[in-house]
């Protein structure tokens, strides 16, 4: 799911987006599921969520940062790639602070912008 518009992109092996750049990769006999975005643009950056339909629901938020003009080898840009199979993407697994920036803002109200 793309969180900015709550658009369900894939479910199982099926793609539910009219945007043909999106597809799901799931090797046979594997527990690995990968959302593949062909020709990613800066607009594709943002929060995505992988969900498992269970009780309770299992979900994994991921922040995708698309870096403009990045080459296949991210080393010259000192940009770590968390998965060498996808050198054009930088994967981040957000913490609570990244998912709820408003909560942090309210907590630090009146303290300035510096971190402790």
């Amino acid at each position: 799911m793309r969180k900015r518009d709550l658009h369900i992109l894939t479910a199982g092996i099926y793609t539910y987006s009219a945007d043909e750049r999106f597809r799901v990769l799931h090797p046979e006999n594997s527990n690995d599921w990968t959302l593949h975005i062909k020709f990613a643009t800066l607009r594709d950056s943002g929060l995505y969520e992988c969900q498992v339909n269970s009780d309770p629901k299992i979900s994994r938020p991921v922040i995708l940062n698309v870096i403009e003009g990045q080459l296949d080898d991210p080393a010259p840009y000192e940009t770590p790639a968390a998965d060498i199979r996808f050198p054009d993407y930088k994967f981040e697994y957000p913490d609570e602070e990244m998912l709820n920036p408003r909560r942090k803002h309210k907590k630090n109200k009146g303290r300035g912008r510096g971190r402790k």
Side-chain angles (χ1 to χ4, degrees):
M1 174 187 300
R2 183 175 53 211
K3 295 294 278 185
R4 81 175 139 88
D5 57 4
L6 300 177
H7 184 66
I8 296 173
L9 301 167
T10 65
I13 60 169
Y14 301 103
T15 302
Y16 290 97
S17 177
D19 188 336
E20 293 182 1
R21 299 176 310 124
F22 292 95
R23 69 179 176 152
V24 66
L25 304 176
H26 176 61
E28 198 172 315
N29 300 317
S30 168
N31 289 327
D32 294 334
W33 295 84
T34 302
L35 176 64
H36 184 257
I37 307 172
K38 196 186 256 187
F39 308 115
T41 67
L42 293 175
R43 181 158 165 73
D44 294 316
S45 294
L47 183 62
Y48 291 78
E49 185 175 82
C50 180
Q51 301 177 354
V52 176
N53 189 14
S54 60
D55 189 18
K57 179 181 87 171
I58 299 170
S59 64
R60 173 110 187 212
V62 177
I63 293 178
L64 172 66
N65 292 313
V66 179
I67 301 169
E68 189 173 31
Q70 183 173 335
L71 302 173
D72 284 346
D73 181 6
Y77 298 95
E78 297 180 12
T79 304
D83 189 330
I84 60 172
R85 296 173 298 169
F86 303 101
D88 294 336
Y89 300 94
K90 179 182 175 192
F91 294 90
E92 290 183 44
Y93 299 101
D95 57 19
E96 184 65 29
E97 194 173 287
M98 293 172 83
L99 292 173
N100 296 307
R102 291 184 196 137
R103 184 175 292 159
K104 177 185 172 193
H105 178 70
K106 289 178 183 176
K107 182 179 174 184
N108 292 332
K109 190 173 181 180
R111 292 187 187 168
R113 294 182 175 233
R115 296 185 83 173
K116 286 184 176 181

